[in-house]
Amino acid sequence: MTKTLLYIRLRQFNREANSLGFYLPVFIAMAAILAFVTYWQYKHNQQAWLIVILLSGICLAIQYNRKDKAFIYKQLEKPHLQLFLEYLVLTLPFSITSIVSKNWFCFPLLLLALACIPFLKFQFKHRAVFKNLSSLIPASNYEWISGLRKQYIPFISLFLFAVAFSWVRIFPLFLLWFITIMMSSFFLENEPVHILRAGNKTARKFLSDKIKINIQYILILYSLPVIINAIFVQEFLLITLLFIPVQLALVSFAICLKYSSYKPNTNLLGNNIAFSIIAMLSAVPYFLPVAAIFAIVYFFKAEKNLKKYLHD
C-alpha cells in the first residue's frame, strides 16, 4: 500500500488531537488563520516564494531528523512516493491557495522541492565525537549531549553561517530558526524512567529546571549573531528583538510536548507534525505569541503526565 505512512500519521494525529481536548478547536483555528495569511502573501507579496523556502526547509529538517528512515526505505512499498505524500499533506493547506494568485508558480516549485527531499537519505555517520562534551554540558542534559554528537556537522555549520552573515537582513535569523527546529529533534526520544527519576524532583521542578537550562543554552548560543544583526539591521530591530523570546518559547514547547505524552523508552515521531505547525506559526509576525501560549498549555499537561512517574 502506498498510503501506509499516511495511515500511520493519521493515527498519530488522532491520538494527539484527542489529547488536546478543549484546545483542539483553537489549534485548528490558528492553522486556518495561518493558511489564510499565506494566501494573502501569495496574492499581494512579490516575495511569496519565501514561503516555498520556509515550507521546504521544514520538510527538509523533518527528513534529516526522522528516526524511521531505515524502516520506511526498507519495509514500505514505494517509500519515496509515501514520503512525498506525507510532506505534501503537511504543506498543502499553506501552499494550494497560491494556485489562484499571481504567485501560482509557487505551488509547482514546492512540489518539485518536496519530490526531491525523499531522495535525500543523508544521515551523517555517527562517530564518537566530543567525548568530553559532558564536561561542558551536565549529564542530566543528555538530550543535548546526544543531539550534538549526532548532528554536530549541520549544527555547527548553520551556526557559523549565521555568525558570518549576522549583518544581513533576516537570513541569519532564518538560520538560527532552523537550528531551533533541529534542537527540537533532541526531544523526540523518551528516556528510561530511572533516568527521569534521577534527582528525586517533583514534576514541576523537573520541567522548570529542564526549561531553564535550555533557555540558558539558547541565550549563550544566539546572543552574538542576534546582537550583531540588531546593530547592522536597524529597520528590522523589532523583529530581531522578538526573535530570541520566540525561540525560547519554541524550545520550551518542544520540551513540554515531549513530556505531555511521555512513556518510558519510546520515540515521539508524531510530535514532528504538531511542532512543525507551531514553528511555522511562530515565523509569522502576527503569531509570535503562539509558541509561548502552547508552551504554557503543554507545561501543565506535561506536569500532569509526569506525576504518574515521579510520584508527586
Side-chain angles (χ1 to χ4, degrees), residues 109-140:
L109 281 177
L110 179 64
L111 291 181
L112 180 61
L114 297 184
C116 294
I117 289 175
F119 289 93
L120 302 176
K121 302 180 183 179
F122 52 84
Q123 187 92 34
F124 292 107
K125 292 184 178 179
H126 303 326
R127 289 179 280 182
V129 296
F130 303 135
K131 296 180 180 179
N132 298 320
L133 194 58
S134 56
S135 63
L136 298 175
I137 301 176
S140 57

PDB file of all heavy atoms in Angstrom, residues 109-140:
ATOM      1  N   LEU A 109       6.684  24.854  -7.767  1.00  0.00           N
ATOM      2  CA  LEU A 109       8.034  24.909  -7.218  1.00  0.00           C
ATOM      3  C   LEU A 109       8.139  24.090  -5.939  1.00  0.00           C
ATOM      4  O   LEU A 109       9.116  23.355  -5.718  1.00  0.00           O
ATOM      5  CB  LEU A 109       8.441  26.360  -6.938  1.00  0.00           C
ATOM      6  CG  LEU A 109       8.884  27.203  -8.130  1.00  0.00           C
ATOM      7  CD1 LEU A 109       9.189  28.625  -7.678  1.00  0.00           C
ATOM      8  CD2 LEU A 109      10.109  26.580  -8.793  1.00  0.00           C
ATOM      9  N   LEU A 110       7.103  24.217  -5.090  1.00  0.00           N
ATOM     10  CA  LEU A 110       7.098  23.456  -3.846  1.00  0.00           C
ATOM     11  C   LEU A 110       6.999  21.960  -4.135  1.00  0.00           C
ATOM     12  O   LEU A 110       7.684  21.143  -3.502  1.00  0.00           O
ATOM     13  CB  LEU A 110       5.934  23.903  -2.956  1.00  0.00           C
ATOM     14  CG  LEU A 110       5.806  23.155  -1.618  1.00  0.00           C
ATOM     15  CD1 LEU A 110       7.031  23.415  -0.741  1.00  0.00           C
ATOM     16  CD2 LEU A 110       4.542  23.564  -0.889  1.00  0.00           C
ATOM     17  N   LEU A 111       6.134  21.593  -5.091  1.00  0.00           N
ATOM     18  CA  LEU A 111       6.007  20.173  -5.455  1.00  0.00           C
ATOM     19  C   LEU A 111       7.350  19.610  -5.912  1.00  0.00           C
ATOM     20  O   LEU A 111       7.714  18.479  -5.553  1.00  0.00           O
ATOM     21  CB  LEU A 111       4.964  20.007  -6.565  1.00  0.00           C
ATOM     22  CG  LEU A 111       3.502  20.270  -6.197  1.00  0.00           C
ATOM     23  CD1 LEU A 111       2.606  20.029  -7.402  1.00  0.00           C
ATOM     24  CD2 LEU A 111       3.057  19.384  -5.034  1.00  0.00           C
ATOM     25  N   LEU A 112       8.092  20.392  -6.685  1.00  0.00           N
ATOM     26  CA  LEU A 112       9.403  19.958  -7.159  1.00  0.00           C
ATOM     27  C   LEU A 112      10.356  19.752  -5.977  1.00  0.00           C
ATOM     28  O   LEU A 112      11.083  18.745  -5.924  1.00  0.00           O
ATOM     29  CB  LEU A 112       9.975  20.990  -8.131  1.00  0.00           C
ATOM     30  CG  LEU A 112      11.354  20.684  -8.716  1.00  0.00           C
ATOM     31  CD1 LEU A 112      11.310  19.387  -9.522  1.00  0.00           C
ATOM     32  CD2 LEU A 112      11.831  21.845  -9.593  1.00  0.00           C
ATOM     33  N   ALA A 113      10.337  20.692  -5.049  1.00  0.00           N
ATOM     34  CA  ALA A 113      11.217  20.575  -3.877  1.00  0.00           C
ATOM     35  C   ALA A 113      10.838  19.365  -3.033  1.00  0.00           C
ATOM     36  O   ALA A 113      11.704  18.598  -2.595  1.00  0.00           O
ATOM     37  CB  ALA A 113      11.134  21.854  -3.041  1.00  0.00           C
ATOM     38  N   LEU A 114       9.527  19.172  -2.806  1.00  0.00           N
ATOM     39  CA  LEU A 114       9.060  18.044  -1.988  1.00  0.00           C
ATOM     40  C   LEU A 114       9.360  16.713  -2.663  1.00  0.00           C
ATOM     41  O   LEU A 114       9.623  15.709  -1.985  1.00  0.00           O
ATOM     42  CB  LEU A 114       7.557  18.166  -1.725  1.00  0.00           C
ATOM     43  CG  LEU A 114       7.090  19.380  -0.921  1.00  0.00           C
ATOM     44  CD1 LEU A 114       5.588  19.306  -0.676  1.00  0.00           C
ATOM     45  CD2 LEU A 114       7.837  19.489   0.401  1.00  0.00           C
ATOM     46  N   ALA A 115       9.321  16.684  -3.990  1.00  0.00           N
ATOM     47  CA  ALA A 115       9.620  15.449  -4.716  1.00  0.00           C
ATOM     48  C   ALA A 115      11.095  15.072  -4.595  1.00  0.00           C
ATOM     49  O   ALA A 115      11.442  13.886  -4.658  1.00  0.00           O
ATOM     50  CB  ALA A 115       9.240  15.604  -6.187  1.00  0.00           C
ATOM     51  N   CYS A 116      11.951  16.062  -4.416  1.00  0.00           N
ATOM     52  CA  CYS A 116      13.392  15.799  -4.296  1.00  0.00           C
ATOM     53  C   CYS A 116      13.786  15.361  -2.886  1.00  0.00           C
ATOM     54  O   CYS A 116      14.718  14.556  -2.720  1.00  0.00           O
ATOM     55  CB  CYS A 116      14.181  17.055  -4.676  1.00  0.00           C
ATOM     56  SG  CYS A 116      14.023  17.525  -6.414  1.00  0.00           S
ATOM     57  N   ILE A 117      13.104  15.879  -1.870  1.00  0.00           N
ATOM     58  CA  ILE A 117      13.507  15.631  -0.485  1.00  0.00           C
ATOM     59  C   ILE A 117      13.564  14.142  -0.135  1.00  0.00           C
ATOM     60  O   ILE A 117      14.519  13.703   0.523  1.00  0.00           O
ATOM     61  CB  ILE A 117      12.579  16.403   0.484  1.00  0.00           C
ATOM     62  CG1 ILE A 117      12.873  17.901   0.394  1.00  0.00           C
ATOM     63  CG2 ILE A 117      12.759  15.926   1.928  1.00  0.00           C
ATOM     64  CD1 ILE A 117      11.958  18.777   1.204  1.00  0.00           C
ATOM     65  N   PRO A 118      12.587  13.300  -0.526  1.00  0.00           N
ATOM     66  CA  PRO A 118      12.670  11.877  -0.160  1.00  0.00           C
ATOM     67  C   PRO A 118      13.897  11.156  -0.697  1.00  0.00           C
ATOM     68  O   PRO A 118      14.266  10.086  -0.189  1.00  0.00           O
ATOM     69  CB  PRO A 118      11.392  11.286  -0.766  1.00  0.00           C
ATOM     70  CG  PRO A 118      10.436  12.432  -0.847  1.00  0.00           C
ATOM     71  CD  PRO A 118      11.305  13.601  -1.174  1.00  0.00           C
ATOM     72  N   PHE A 119      14.540  11.705  -1.710  1.00  0.00           N
ATOM     73  CA  PHE A 119      15.737  11.079  -2.255  1.00  0.00           C
ATOM     74  C   PHE A 119      16.983  11.438  -1.444  1.00  0.00           C
ATOM     75  O   PHE A 119      18.067  10.904  -1.689  1.00  0.00           O
ATOM     76  CB  PHE A 119      15.932  11.487  -3.711  1.00  0.00           C
ATOM     77  CG  PHE A 119      14.920  10.874  -4.644  1.00  0.00           C
ATOM     78  CD1 PHE A 119      13.751  11.554  -4.958  1.00  0.00           C
ATOM     79  CD2 PHE A 119      15.113   9.603  -5.168  1.00  0.00           C
ATOM     80  CE1 PHE A 119      12.796  10.992  -5.802  1.00  0.00           C
ATOM     81  CE2 PHE A 119      14.168   9.029  -6.013  1.00  0.00           C
ATOM     82  CZ  PHE A 119      13.002   9.711  -6.327  1.00  0.00           C
ATOM     83  N   LEU A 120      16.812  12.355  -0.492  1.00  0.00           N
ATOM     84  CA  LEU A 120      17.930  12.745   0.378  1.00  0.00           C
ATOM     85  C   LEU A 120      17.925  11.844   1.607  1.00  0.00           C
ATOM     86  O   LEU A 120      17.323  12.148   2.620  1.00  0.00           O
ATOM     87  CB  LEU A 120      17.791  14.217   0.782  1.00  0.00           C
ATOM     88  CG  LEU A 120      17.742  15.217  -0.381  1.00  0.00           C
ATOM     89  CD1 LEU A 120      17.500  16.626   0.147  1.00  0.00           C
ATOM     90  CD2 LEU A 120      19.023  15.171  -1.190  1.00  0.00           C
ATOM     91  N   LYS A 121      18.612  10.731   1.481  1.00  0.00           N
ATOM     92  CA  LYS A 121      18.661   9.764   2.584  1.00  0.00           C
ATOM     93  C   LYS A 121      19.820  10.065   3.525  1.00  0.00           C
ATOM     94  O   LYS A 121      20.236   9.207   4.290  1.00  0.00           O
ATOM     95  CB  LYS A 121      18.829   8.351   2.024  1.00  0.00           C
ATOM     96  CG  LYS A 121      17.737   7.912   1.065  1.00  0.00           C
ATOM     97  CD  LYS A 121      18.005   6.502   0.568  1.00  0.00           C
ATOM     98  CE  LYS A 121      16.970   6.074  -0.452  1.00  0.00           C
ATOM     99  NZ  LYS A 121      17.222   4.701  -0.971  1.00  0.00           N
ATOM    100  N   PHE A 122      20.313  11.293   3.427  1.00  0.00           N
ATOM    101  CA  PHE A 122      21.518  11.637   4.177  1.00  0.00           C
ATOM    102  C   PHE A 122      21.359  11.355   5.662  1.00  0.00           C
ATOM    103  O   PHE A 122      20.346  11.633   6.277  1.00  0.00           O
ATOM    104  CB  PHE A 122      21.891  13.111   3.977  1.00  0.00           C
ATOM    105  CG  PHE A 122      20.761  14.061   4.235  1.00  0.00           C
ATOM    106  CD1 PHE A 122      20.470  14.481   5.504  1.00  0.00           C
ATOM    107  CD2 PHE A 122      19.980  14.537   3.177  1.00  0.00           C
ATOM    108  CE1 PHE A 122      19.437  15.367   5.738  1.00  0.00           C
ATOM    109  CE2 PHE A 122      18.941  15.412   3.402  1.00  0.00           C
ATOM    110  CZ  PHE A 122      18.665  15.831   4.687  1.00  0.00           C
ATOM    111  N   GLN A 123      22.394  10.779   6.192  1.00  0.00           N
ATOM    112  CA  GLN A 123      22.489  10.516   7.626  1.00  0.00           C
ATOM    113  C   GLN A 123      23.979  10.471   7.913  1.00  0.00           C
ATOM    114  O   GLN A 123      24.661   9.511   7.565  1.00  0.00           O
ATOM    115  CB  GLN A 123      21.852   9.175   8.004  1.00  0.00           C
ATOM    116  CG  GLN A 123      21.785   8.943   9.499  1.00  0.00           C
ATOM    117  CD  GLN A 123      20.479   9.429  10.086  1.00  0.00           C
ATOM    118  OE1 GLN A 123      19.440   9.353   9.453  1.00  0.00           O
ATOM    119  NE2 GLN A 123      20.531   9.909  11.311  1.00  0.00           N
ATOM    120  N   PHE A 124      24.494  11.526   8.496  1.00  0.00           N
ATOM    121  CA  PHE A 124      25.924  11.545   8.768  1.00  0.00           C
ATOM    122  C   PHE A 124      26.285  10.391   9.689  1.00  0.00           C
ATOM    123  O   PHE A 124      25.567  10.087  10.643  1.00  0.00           O
ATOM    124  CB  PHE A 124      26.338  12.872   9.429  1.00  0.00           C
ATOM    125  CG  PHE A 124      26.213  14.049   8.523  1.00  0.00           C
ATOM    126  CD1 PHE A 124      25.191  14.971   8.717  1.00  0.00           C
ATOM    127  CD2 PHE A 124      27.104  14.238   7.484  1.00  0.00           C
ATOM    128  CE1 PHE A 124      25.067  16.057   7.873  1.00  0.00           C
ATOM    129  CE2 PHE A 124      26.982  15.333   6.642  1.00  0.00           C
ATOM    130  CZ  PHE A 124      25.965  16.238   6.838  1.00  0.00           C
ATOM    131  N   LYS A 125      27.392   9.725   9.374  1.00  0.00           N
ATOM    132  CA  LYS A 125      27.822   8.609  10.209  1.00  0.00           C
ATOM    133  C   LYS A 125      28.136   9.114  11.604  1.00  0.00           C
ATOM    134  O   LYS A 125      28.914  10.050  11.785  1.00  0.00           O
ATOM    135  CB  LYS A 125      29.057   7.942   9.600  1.00  0.00           C
ATOM    136  CG  LYS A 125      28.759   7.214   8.291  1.00  0.00           C
ATOM    137  CD  LYS A 125      29.998   6.501   7.778  1.00  0.00           C
ATOM    138  CE  LYS A 125      29.663   5.733   6.495  1.00  0.00           C
ATOM    139  NZ  LYS A 125      30.864   5.027   5.951  1.00  0.00           N
ATOM    140  N   HIS A 126      27.498   8.487  12.563  1.00  0.00           N
ATOM    141  CA  HIS A 126      27.659   8.944  13.939  1.00  0.00           C
ATOM    142  C   HIS A 126      28.877   8.277  14.569  1.00  0.00           C
ATOM    143  O   HIS A 126      28.838   7.109  14.937  1.00  0.00           O
ATOM    144  CB  HIS A 126      26.400   8.614  14.748  1.00  0.00           C
ATOM    145  CG  HIS A 126      25.148   9.196  14.171  1.00  0.00           C
ATOM    146  ND1 HIS A 126      25.133  10.408  13.534  1.00  0.00           N
ATOM    147  CD2 HIS A 126      23.886   8.720  14.129  1.00  0.00           C
ATOM    148  CE1 HIS A 126      23.907  10.675  13.130  1.00  0.00           C
ATOM    149  NE2 HIS A 126      23.138   9.663  13.462  1.00  0.00           N
ATOM    150  N   ARG A 127      29.963   9.029  14.661  1.00  0.00           N
ATOM    151  CA  ARG A 127      31.142   8.518  15.322  1.00  0.00           C
ATOM    152  C   ARG A 127      31.225   9.138  16.705  1.00  0.00           C
ATOM    153  O   ARG A 127      30.568  10.127  17.002  1.00  0.00           O
ATOM    154  CB  ARG A 127      32.389   8.851  14.502  1.00  0.00           C
ATOM    155  CG  ARG A 127      32.487   8.056  13.213  1.00  0.00           C
ATOM    156  CD  ARG A 127      33.706   8.431  12.422  1.00  0.00           C
ATOM    157  NE  ARG A 127      33.485   9.659  11.671  1.00  0.00           N
ATOM    158  CZ  ARG A 127      34.381  10.214  10.859  1.00  0.00           C
ATOM    159  NH1 ARG A 127      35.561   9.656  10.725  1.00  0.00           N
ATOM    160  NH2 ARG A 127      34.108  11.313  10.206  1.00  0.00           N
ATOM    161  N   ALA A 128      32.064   8.556  17.505  1.00  0.00           N
ATOM    162  CA  ALA A 128      32.181   9.017  18.892  1.00  0.00           C
ATOM    163  C   ALA A 128      32.954  10.327  18.919  1.00  0.00           C
ATOM    164  O   ALA A 128      34.181  10.353  19.097  1.00  0.00           O
ATOM    165  CB  ALA A 128      32.878   7.967  19.756  1.00  0.00           C
ATOM    166  N   VAL A 129      32.271  11.423  18.678  1.00  0.00           N
ATOM    167  CA  VAL A 129      32.899  12.746  18.693  1.00  0.00           C
ATOM    168  C   VAL A 129      32.533  13.454  19.990  1.00  0.00           C
ATOM    169  O   VAL A 129      31.562  13.114  20.656  1.00  0.00           O
ATOM    170  CB  VAL A 129      32.454  13.585  17.486  1.00  0.00           C
ATOM    171  CG1 VAL A 129      32.923  12.952  16.195  1.00  0.00           C
ATOM    172  CG2 VAL A 129      30.945  13.749  17.475  1.00  0.00           C
ATOM    173  N   PHE A 130      33.327  14.478  20.307  1.00  0.00           N
ATOM    174  CA  PHE A 130      33.077  15.255  21.521  1.00  0.00           C
ATOM    175  C   PHE A 130      32.920  14.336  22.740  1.00  0.00           C
ATOM    176  O   PHE A 130      31.929  14.416  23.476  1.00  0.00           O
ATOM    177  CB  PHE A 130      31.832  16.134  21.362  1.00  0.00           C
ATOM    178  CG  PHE A 130      31.899  17.068  20.198  1.00  0.00           C
ATOM    179  CD1 PHE A 130      30.816  17.224  19.345  1.00  0.00           C
ATOM    180  CD2 PHE A 130      33.043  17.801  19.934  1.00  0.00           C
ATOM    181  CE1 PHE A 130      30.878  18.083  18.264  1.00  0.00           C
ATOM    182  CE2 PHE A 130      33.114  18.666  18.857  1.00  0.00           C
ATOM    183  CZ  PHE A 130      32.030  18.811  18.017  1.00  0.00           C
ATOM    184  N   LYS A 131      33.926  13.451  22.940  1.00  0.00           N
ATOM    185  CA  LYS A 131      33.837  12.503  24.050  1.00  0.00           C
ATOM    186  C   LYS A 131      33.796  13.200  25.404  1.00  0.00           C
ATOM    187  O   LYS A 131      33.279  12.642  26.374  1.00  0.00           O
ATOM    188  CB  LYS A 131      35.024  11.531  23.993  1.00  0.00           C
ATOM    189  CG  LYS A 131      35.025  10.640  22.748  1.00  0.00           C
ATOM    190  CD  LYS A 131      36.218   9.703  22.748  1.00  0.00           C
ATOM    191  CE  LYS A 131      36.206   8.816  21.500  1.00  0.00           C
ATOM    192  NZ  LYS A 131      37.360   7.900  21.446  1.00  0.00           N
ATOM    193  N   ASN A 132      34.354  14.406  25.461  1.00  0.00           N
ATOM    194  CA  ASN A 132      34.376  15.146  26.728  1.00  0.00           C
ATOM    195  C   ASN A 132      33.281  16.204  26.794  1.00  0.00           C
ATOM    196  O   ASN A 132      33.376  17.154  27.562  1.00  0.00           O
ATOM    197  CB  ASN A 132      35.750  15.802  26.922  1.00  0.00           C
ATOM    198  CG  ASN A 132      36.868  14.782  27.016  1.00  0.00           C
ATOM    199  OD1 ASN A 132      36.694  13.731  27.643  1.00  0.00           O
ATOM    200  ND2 ASN A 132      38.005  15.071  26.397  1.00  0.00           N
ATOM    201  N   LEU A 133      32.250  16.041  25.959  1.00  0.00           N
ATOM    202  CA  LEU A 133      31.171  17.027  25.922  1.00  0.00           C
ATOM    203  C   LEU A 133      30.462  17.134  27.264  1.00  0.00           C
ATOM    204  O   LEU A 133      29.973  18.198  27.640  1.00  0.00           O
ATOM    205  CB  LEU A 133      30.159  16.646  24.832  1.00  0.00           C
ATOM    206  CG  LEU A 133      29.141  17.704  24.410  1.00  0.00           C
ATOM    207  CD1 LEU A 133      29.835  18.966  23.909  1.00  0.00           C
ATOM    208  CD2 LEU A 133      28.206  17.156  23.340  1.00  0.00           C
ATOM    209  N   SER A 134      30.407  16.024  28.005  1.00  0.00           N
ATOM    210  CA  SER A 134      29.736  16.029  29.303  1.00  0.00           C
ATOM    211  C   SER A 134      30.462  16.889  30.332  1.00  0.00           C
ATOM    212  O   SER A 134      29.904  17.193  31.389  1.00  0.00           O
ATOM    213  CB  SER A 134      29.588  14.597  29.838  1.00  0.00           C
ATOM    214  OG  SER A 134      30.855  13.969  29.915  1.00  0.00           O
ATOM    215  N   SER A 135      31.717  17.269  30.026  1.00  0.00           N
ATOM    216  CA  SER A 135      32.421  18.177  30.939  1.00  0.00           C
ATOM    217  C   SER A 135      31.928  19.608  30.774  1.00  0.00           C
ATOM    218  O   SER A 135      32.114  20.439  31.667  1.00  0.00           O
ATOM    219  CB  SER A 135      33.933  18.112  30.687  1.00  0.00           C
ATOM    220  OG  SER A 135      34.241  18.553  29.366  1.00  0.00           O
ATOM    221  N   LEU A 136      31.315  19.906  29.624  1.00  0.00           N
ATOM    222  CA  LEU A 136      30.733  21.228  29.375  1.00  0.00           C
ATOM    223  C   LEU A 136      29.238  21.239  29.640  1.00  0.00           C
ATOM    224  O   LEU A 136      28.685  22.240  30.109  1.00  0.00           O
ATOM    225  CB  LEU A 136      30.995  21.657  27.922  1.00  0.00           C
ATOM    226  CG  LEU A 136      32.456  21.826  27.505  1.00  0.00           C
ATOM    227  CD1 LEU A 136      32.544  22.122  26.011  1.00  0.00           C
ATOM    228  CD2 LEU A 136      33.102  22.955  28.304  1.00  0.00           C
ATOM    229  N   ILE A 137      28.579  20.135  29.300  1.00  0.00           N
ATOM    230  CA  ILE A 137      27.130  20.021  29.477  1.00  0.00           C
ATOM    231  C   ILE A 137      26.855  18.943  30.520  1.00  0.00           C
ATOM    232  O   ILE A 137      27.330  17.814  30.370  1.00  0.00           O
ATOM    233  CB  ILE A 137      26.446  19.645  28.148  1.00  0.00           C
ATOM    234  CG1 ILE A 137      26.742  20.709  27.082  1.00  0.00           C
ATOM    235  CG2 ILE A 137      24.947  19.492  28.337  1.00  0.00           C
ATOM    236  CD1 ILE A 137      26.188  20.375  25.714  1.00  0.00           C
ATOM    237  N   PRO A 138      26.107  19.261  31.568  1.00  0.00           N
ATOM    238  CA  PRO A 138      25.829  18.261  32.611  1.00  0.00           C
ATOM    239  C   PRO A 138      25.170  17.011  32.039  1.00  0.00           C
ATOM    240  O   PRO A 138      24.410  17.081  31.067  1.00  0.00           O
ATOM    241  CB  PRO A 138      24.870  19.008  33.549  1.00  0.00           C
ATOM    242  CG  PRO A 138      25.126  20.456  33.305  1.00  0.00           C
ATOM    243  CD  PRO A 138      25.504  20.563  31.858  1.00  0.00           C
ATOM    244  N   ALA A 139      25.482  15.870  32.624  1.00  0.00           N
ATOM    245  CA  ALA A 139      24.934  14.598  32.149  1.00  0.00           C
ATOM    246  C   ALA A 139      23.415  14.581  32.185  1.00  0.00           C
ATOM    247  O   ALA A 139      22.775  13.845  31.426  1.00  0.00           O
ATOM    248  CB  ALA A 139      25.494  13.450  32.984  1.00  0.00           C
ATOM    249  N   SER A 140      22.813  15.397  33.060  1.00  0.00           N
ATOM    250  CA  SER A 140      21.349  15.449  33.152  1.00  0.00           C
ATOM    251  C   SER A 140      20.724  16.012  31.876  1.00  0.00           C
ATOM    252  O   SER A 140      19.550  15.787  31.601  1.00  0.00           O
ATOM    253  CB  SER A 140      20.920  16.290  34.359  1.00  0.00           C
ATOM    254  OG  SER A 140      21.459  17.603  34.274  1.00  0.00           O
TER     255      SER A 140
END
